[in-house]
Amino acid sequence: MTLSVTSWNVNSIKARLPNVVEWLKEAAPDVACLQELKCVDEAFPRLEIEHLGYNVETVGQKTYNGVALLSKRPIEEVALRGLPLPEGEEDEQSRYIEAVIAAESGPVRIACLYLPNGNPAPGPKYDYKLSWMKRLHDRAQELLALEEPVILAGDYNVIPRNADVHDPARWEGDALFRPETHDAFYALRWLGYSDAFEQADGRAYQYTFWDYQAGAWPKNNGIRIDHLLLSPRAADTLESVEIDKGPRGKEKASDHTPITGHFAL
């Protein structure tokens, strides 16, 4: 049996609902991790999604952020709605949900995350990005001890390599491409997590995001910032990864497009 897991920043679930429903019908991933919902939990179009056979869990926020985890398999447990914080600290931004999914081979732990953009950098927004990445690192390290397949899926707002951007010089100094961002991202990798795309494909100039401005989509001036990071047990089961550019070409499209991993789980 194969488990398919998609990450897609939909950039407002209300604005993109027809495109999202159409794609879910056609692609039918077992699990879909959606980011940037831009709505509270009560406003999420649960009925439309459940009608397609999905169990739905969300962590919403009015106007900004928000993540959802959709699963055709049973959701055995929602482990976290938000990353752990040091005692006494609060974070009002809805950017993380983590659940245990029942796969044929046993439980699989999947997190849907929407990492902060961080611009302008340097500055308070960039400080928040780096602190959020440190919290993600700490949680990712804890998850390795569970000895479960772990998939950390989401919009990381990180361009990992020069080969993942159409023009590296244009992005120099941007929060998505700064050395500190790369250091924090590769600290996750050094824990033992694999980048599913690099593992299964690795080609240069394969993008998941094209800005609405300056004709980025027709010119193919994109960046790869949506990633599936895999624990060793998940990486061992990876069969393939695909970036589906189709939704980006639709009318009223999100500026991101889905990336899907297929696992022998």
Side-chain angles (χ1 to χ4, degrees), residues 199-257:
Q199 178 178 325
D201 189 321
R203 288 175 297 155
Y205 314 123
Q206 305 300 304
Y207 308 131
T208 62
F209 171 92
W210 298 260
D211 203 304
Y212 292 127
Q213 307 299 319
W217 168 244
K219 294 176 183 177
N220 197 31
N221 290 344
I223 52 178
R224 186 173 71 90
I225 57 175
D226 302 271
H227 309 301
L228 308 174
L229 292 193
L230 314 178
S231 70
R233 289 194 63 179
D236 286 346
T237 70
L238 180 65
E239 296 183 333
S240 64
V241 172
E242 60 182 313
I243 297 171
D244 184 352
K245 295 182 181 180
R248 183 59 181 87
K250 299 283 187 180
E251 188 176 348
K252 296 183 179 179
S254 169
D255 42 10
H256 295 250
T257 210

Side-chain angles (χ1 to χ4, degrees), residues 84-101:
L85 279 159
E87 188 174 352
E89 293 189 17
E90 296 183 357
D91 187 352
E92 296 180 353
Q93 299 192 25
S94 299
R95 295 183 174 272
Y96 186 90
I97 186 170
E98 176 190 313
V100 178
I101 305 296

Side-chain angles (χ1 to χ4, degrees), residues 100-121:
V100 178
I101 305 296
E104 293 293 329
S105 61
V108 179
R109 191 170 294 260
I110 300 176
C112 175
L113 63 97
Y114 177 38
L115 207 146
N117 176 286
N119 282 305

Side-chain angles (χ1 to χ4, degrees), residues 87-236:
E87 188 174 352
E89 293 189 17
E90 296 183 357
D91 187 352
E92 296 180 353
Q93 299 192 25
S94 299
R95 295 183 174 272
Y96 186 90
I97 186 170
E98 176 190 313
V100 178
I101 305 296
E104 293 293 329
S105 61
V108 179
R109 191 170 294 260
I110 300 176
C112 175
L113 63 97
Y114 177 38
L115 207 146
N117 176 286
N119 282 305
K125 290 186 177 180
Y126 191 58
D127 293 341
Y128 174 70
K129 180 189 186 90
L130 294 179
S131 67
W132 203 96
M133 294 183 80
K134 177 61 169 63
R135 288 160 59 198
L136 177 62
H137 177 279
D138 292 346
R139 181 57 181 169
Q141 189 169 34
E142 292 175 352
L143 293 179
L144 291 177
L146 300 177
E147 297 186 355
E148 298 170 339
V150 177
I151 302 170
L152 306 177
D155 175 0
Y156 279 74
N157 272 313
V158 175
I159 305 168
R161 314 171 298 174
N162 283 3
D164 299 317
V165 55
H166 66 94
D167 184 357
R170 281 186 57 187
W171 288 83
E172 187 173 345
D174 190 278
L176 281 64
F177 204 49
R178 288 178 64 91
E180 303 95 326
T181 303
H182 286 148
D183 289 347
F185 184 75
Y186 279 98
L188 275 170
R189 299 283 305 276
W190 294 331
L191 287 175
Y193 285 84
S194 303
D195 179 330
F197 176 81
E198 287 190 27
Q199 178 178 325
D201 189 321
R203 288 175 297 155
Y205 314 123
Q206 305 300 304
Y207 308 131
T208 62
F209 171 92
W210 298 260
D211 203 304
Y212 292 127
Q213 307 299 319
W217 168 244
K219 294 176 183 177
N220 197 31
N221 290 344
I223 52 178
R224 186 173 71 90
I225 57 175
D226 302 271
H227 309 301
L228 308 174
L229 292 193
L230 314 178
S231 70
R233 289 194 63 179
D236 286 346

Side-chain angles (χ1 to χ4, degrees), residues 49-123:
I49 303 298
E50 289 178 340
H51 183 70
L52 301 176
Y54 287 97
N55 300 294
V56 177
E57 295 289 348
T58 64
V59 180
Q61 182 179 337
K62 186 178 181 180
T63 309
Y64 301 102
N65 308 319
V67 289
L69 199 152
L70 323 177
S71 178
K72 290 190 172 182
R73 307 286 181 88
I75 298 175
E76 296 183 345
E77 173 193 7
V78 177
L80 285 177
R81 298 180 186 271
L83 284 169
L85 279 159
E87 188 174 352
E89 293 189 17
E90 296 183 357
D91 187 352
E92 296 180 353
Q93 299 192 25
S94 299
R95 295 183 174 272
Y96 186 90
I97 186 170
E98 176 190 313
V100 178
I101 305 296
E104 293 293 329
S105 61
V108 179
R109 191 170 294 260
I110 300 176
C112 175
L113 63 97
Y114 177 38
L115 207 146
N117 176 286
N119 282 305

